[in-house]
Amino acid sequence: MPRESARKPVYLAVYDTLADWETGHTTAYLARAGYEIRTVGLSGDPVRSVGGLRILPDVTLDDVRPEDAALLILPGADLWDTGDELAPFARRAREFLAVGVPVAAICGATAGLAREGLLDDRAHTGAVSFYLAATGYKGGDRYVDSDAVTDGGLVTAGPTDPVAFAREVFALLGVYEGEVLDAWYRLFHDSDAQAYEVLEAAEATEAAQAGTR
């Protein structure tokens, strides 16, 4: 994992009707790992989530340079399916991927990426296969019936799998690995109490190592 001072920020896209629950595990534990989470909107105007939370974006989409980011997260939102208002985020996702910066999309955001052609040549998942097929995209043969999928720097997941979505992001960025990553997933997905012991031991080891540097 990169040193905290060397980490680039993670950008969380925010827009009206965004699904609050889909990225909470991801952003919370990235922040705990030392990543700065910056919200990015189409403009500087406040947006309101589907749960009624009012969010004032930190920056606008035009101000974000993909090469200065660690990750772009695209949550689901009703707006992905009601018009082209959020299409600029899908176009910017293409720019992120082109310079080797990963993108993570969940729920309706996967449909936005499908319309942009970003799922045509990558293994991916989403809510259900016919939901993405309705976009008219050409990647139906690459659809995987799984909780979350990573391919070519792109993480995709359906709306009922926010924990698996976070797991894939953590693996991609090296936040957690191996048995620790598995334990994190088992704790938050399966309520496995034994998994907590693994995480606690890993945190103690990391703290001890940090104290000797």
Side-chain angles (χ1 to χ4, degrees):
M1 201 182 337
R3 290 179 295 106
E4 186 168 331
S5 60
R7 291 183 191 136
K8 296 177 180 180
V10 168
Y11 286 94
L12 171 67
V14 295
Y15 21 73
D16 286 328
T17 73
L18 78 87
D20 314 62
W21 64 92
E22 292 177 344
T23 60
H25 290 86
T26 303
T27 55
Y29 279 84
L30 287 178
R32 291 189 67 173
Y35 285 92
E36 177 189 6
I37 309 298
R38 307 197 73 192
T39 53
V40 52
L42 286 173
S43 71
D45 296 332
V47 300
R48 195 167 294 276
S49 74
V50 73
L53 298 181
R54 182 179 183 274
I55 304 169
L56 184 66
D58 293 316
V59 295
T60 67
L61 189 59
D62 288 341
D63 292 332
V64 175
R65 286 166 42 91
E67 56 269 32
D68 295 333
L71 173 73
L72 173 65
I73 303 174
L74 300 175
D78 294 343
L79 288 181
W80 283 111
D81 297 318
T82 58
D84 296 328
E85 184 176 343
L86 302 186
F89 284 102
R91 291 194 293 270
R92 185 54 64 89
R94 179 181 292 280
E95 296 176 17
F96 272 72
L97 293 168
V99 297
V101 178
V103 173
I106 186 169
C107 190
T110 62
L113 298 190
R115 295 185 189 97
E116 181 64 20
L118 293 175
L119 305 186
D120 290 350
D121 301 313
R122 292 179 173 87
H124 61 276
T125 193
V128 287
S129 60
F130 57 80
Y131 168 66
L132 292 180
T135 67
Y137 83 132
K138 301 176 181 178
D141 61 336
R142 304 300 303 276
Y143 184 88
V144 180
D145 188 11
S146 180
D147 54 7
V149 173
T150 301
D151 187 22
L154 177 62
V155 175
T156 51
T160 59
D161 292 296
V163 179
F165 180 70
R167 178 198 65 209
E168 296 298 303
V169 170
F170 300 157
L172 192 61
L173 296 183
V175 173
Y176 299 123
E177 299 175 326
E179 68 171 6
V180 177
L181 178 64
D182 177 65
W184 185 92
Y185 179 75
R186 287 189 289 112
L187 177 63
F188 288 97
H189 186 265
D190 304 323
S191 299
D192 185 344
Q194 292 183 336
Y196 179 76
E197 298 175 5
V198 177
L199 292 176
E200 190 176 47
E203 290 179 358
T205 299
E206 185 174 344
Q209 291 175 343
T212 61
R213 291 172 191 161

